[in-house]
Amino acid sequence: MVSRYTPVAVGGVALLFAAVTACSPVEEESSPTASASSASTETCAPASLATLTAGKLTIGTDNPAYEPWFSDNKPANGKGYESAVAYAVADRLGYANADVQWTSVTFNNAIAPGPKKFDIDINQFSITDERKQAVDFSSPYYLVRQTVITTKGSKIAGAKSLADLKSAKLGAQVGTTSYQAVTDVIKPDQQPSVFNNNDDAKAALVNGTVDGIVVDLPTAFYMTAAELDDGVIVGQLPQVGVPEQFGIVLDKGSPLTGCVSKAVDQLRQDGTLAVLEKTWLADTAGAPELS
Amino acid sequence: MTYAPSTRQLERTAYRRRQAVRSVLLAALSTAVVGILLTVAITGAPGWERVKASFFDPEAAQEYLPEILFGLWLNIRLLVVCATLALTLGLVVAILRTLRGPVFFPVRALATGYTYTFRGLPLIIVIYLYAFGIPGLRLQGTPDVLVLGAAAIIVTYGAYLAEVFRAGIESVHPSQIAAARSLGLSYRQAMRHVVLPQAVRRVTPPLLNDTVALQKDVGLISLAGPIDAIRAAQIGVAQDANFTPYIVAGVLFVLLALPLIGVTDWVTLRAARRQNAG
């Protein structure tokens, strides 16, 4: 005799089968890639560039503008890494320093879609695909470096080279270029500590559980200036992994994007960017290079 | 005279055998049907290739297995230490909670407060407090974060195990103590020789069950910084954007738990048999 539950069971299995098939994921549409504008045919000179004010270049940044990217909250003084880069780009495009106008734009407004009140904006914008949907980015003018930070009195506070860090107990956030920098560049003798986030790493540093932590340079500046009572930047590590890139923001589809990118590329090739980085980040801001 | 089953008995036996064969065949058939349906449904689904590449990538498994195993060694050592100490702590607290007499009220209250607090506190909070909070005090002789993390696991699981032990102790009928006392045993002797052996035997299955739970939670030590199996897997996942290392670590944890689960089932079965036989 067939159990009276059998039809129910068979029906149930069939239903399950149908459900599994129905719930199967459908291929996702790949996101449309923004077409890159080409600068090869354009002439990049103030006379031919369609800026907001003819003959002038309007550059946006946030207010307050922080060290060491700017100095004294005065973007127009040419001091600080990003201010210096902005003037170098303007110079490359053919604008005299007097033709540069600064305007204050909040970080979020600058990358929001919509018309812009600047020609270019420089404000530590990381280049991401999401942001590319709303704005244009120039070629990167800065590749984010990994940096060792510690507290005053720590045994690595005076470290001058990678070798000085060998015996240290270091920490970093899981899955970051920072952790990669510890294992691939410093290669410490002790197993590093790995934390869920930078806040946990920072807590361990404050506790003295670790001698130093590795974070990216902008975070290092923020942590040592604002978050840690006696934070010290030990130094920047050699480039590792896929670094975060800072790009200049322009309006989506801006006619200037190609020219600005070309200017940045030239500045990188002729070594200007490297010099500015050394001047304003390594020497002035006290984040020396470790090698 | 030798036993010769009657015709009726032979028929009965034959019928039972036919029924048994029929059930086995039916079970085999339905299992096969369900198995085929599941295989077709899973491997035929449009996302299957991606699932295979993302969860079951042999290359990624091979690449990160050594690091995960290295991390697992930390989990195993932690498990042994934490399980032993948590069981001891649990037993002590349970005995303190069941002490009689008004003099012991503060002890009972403290023990009760402990079990209430640490059963309610999420283990993650305890680990954060111990592994980050205590070193932050910068007291002399603060132990390593590994020790602090282990202590957090021990006090949390000690509270669960204490309640299990207490349930066992209280399940022993009062007449047992009365009988022991009337034989001239002191309260301590009665506990030691009469109550505790029975109590522990009764609660062995839930104790082992809690130990299995503890075995997984030793992985939370990674919050404090040490690289255990779970963290090693997480690092692998972050490097390759492939989830196979999690699967590898998961399988290792299940394998680690299997012996303990087997023992638990066996002990439960044996206890049930003994109880029913009596």
Side-chain angles (χ1 to χ4, degrees), chain B:
Chain B
M1 193 181 128
T2 53
Y3 168 69
S6 67
T7 335
R8 168 101 8 134
Q9 176 62 25
L10 283 175
E11 271 170 17
R12 218 178 268 142
T13 315
Y15 175 74
R16 282 196 188 132
R17 195 178 302 130
R18 273 202 311 279
Q19 284 296 313
V21 169
R22 190 167 167 273
S23 328
V24 169
L25 283 179
L26 258 178
L29 183 71
S30 73
T31 308
V33 168
V34 171
I36 289 167
L37 284 178
L38 278 179
T39 311
V40 169
I42 292 172
T43 58
W48 171 240
E49 281 305 317
R50 217 174 302 163
V51 169
K52 217 164 59 173
S54 162
F55 289 174
F56 307 103
D57 179 4
E59 269 175 42
Q62 213 171 3
E63 187 179 349
Y64 294 105
L65 184 64
E67 280 150 49
I68 295 173
L69 278 177
F70 185 75
L72 192 70
W73 175 229
L74 175 70
N75 291 107
I76 293 173
R77 282 178 296 168
L78 265 178
L79 168 66
V80 172
V81 172
C82 290
T84 315
L85 292 179
L87 282 167
T88 315
L89 177 68
L91 184 59
V92 169
V93 171
I95 292 171
L96 293 181
R97 256 200 94 174
T98 47
L99 281 179
R100 309 261 156 85
V103 182
F104 295 115
F105 176 76
V107 178
R108 279 201 302 269
L110 279 176
T112 309
Y114 161 71
T115 56
Y116 275 42
T117 310
F118 281 92
R119 276 188 305 158
L121 267 182
L123 179 53
I124 292 182
I125 290 181
V126 184
I127 288 183
Y128 269 114
L129 281 176
Y130 274 56
F132 289 98
I134 292 181
L137 303 175
R138 293 188 171 274
L139 300 174
Q140 223 169 14
T142 304
D144 194 68
V145 282
L146 199 58
V147 177
L148 290 169
I153 296 171
I154 291 164
V155 294
T156 303
Y157 271 87
Y160 290 109
L161 294 172
E163 284 304 278
V164 175
F165 275 122
R166 187 176 67 92
I169 290 170
E170 291 185 345
S171 77
V172 176
H173 199 272
S175 65
Q176 295 275 327
I177 288 209
R181 296 304 297 276
S182 73
L183 286 173
L185 271 66
S186 68
Y187 178 77
R188 188 181 295 186
Q189 284 171 327
M191 274 308 268
R192 162 80 185 78
H193 297 290
V194 178
V195 178
L196 282 183
Q198 297 185 63
V200 169
R201 201 171 300 149
R202 278 187 199 173
V203 296
T204 303
L207 284 180
L208 288 172
N209 200 34
D210 276 347
T211 314
V212 173
L214 184 149
Q215 177 177 324
K216 296 175 300 177
D217 278 355
V218 292
L220 288 175
I221 192 81
S222 61
L223 289 175
I227 302 178
D228 75 328
I230 295 175
R231 186 66 94 192
Q234 193 183 7
I235 291 169
V237 170
Q239 270 167 10
D240 277 9
N242 183 302
F243 292 89
T244 312
Y246 280 144
I247 301 283
V248 172
V251 168
L252 288 176
F253 269 95
V254 172
L255 289 179
L256 195 61
L258 278 184
L260 208 53
I261 292 171
V263 169
T264 315
D265 286 350
W266 175 73
V267 169
T268 316
L269 199 67
R270 196 184 60 157
R273 275 205 195 120
R274 286 193 173 175
Q275 207 123 43
N276 295 342

Side-chain angles (χ1 to χ4, degrees), chain A residues 18-37:
Chain A
V20 166
T21 319
C23 294
S24 296
V26 182
E27 195 82 16
E28 255 181 57
E29 294 283 329
S30 58
S31 56
T33 44
S35 55
S37 51

Side-chain angles (χ1 to χ4, degrees), chain A residues 13 22 70 167 174 192 204 212 233 250 273 275:
Chain A
V13 168
F70 295 95
S167 61
V174 65
I233 292 182
L250 299 99
L273 289 180
V275 171

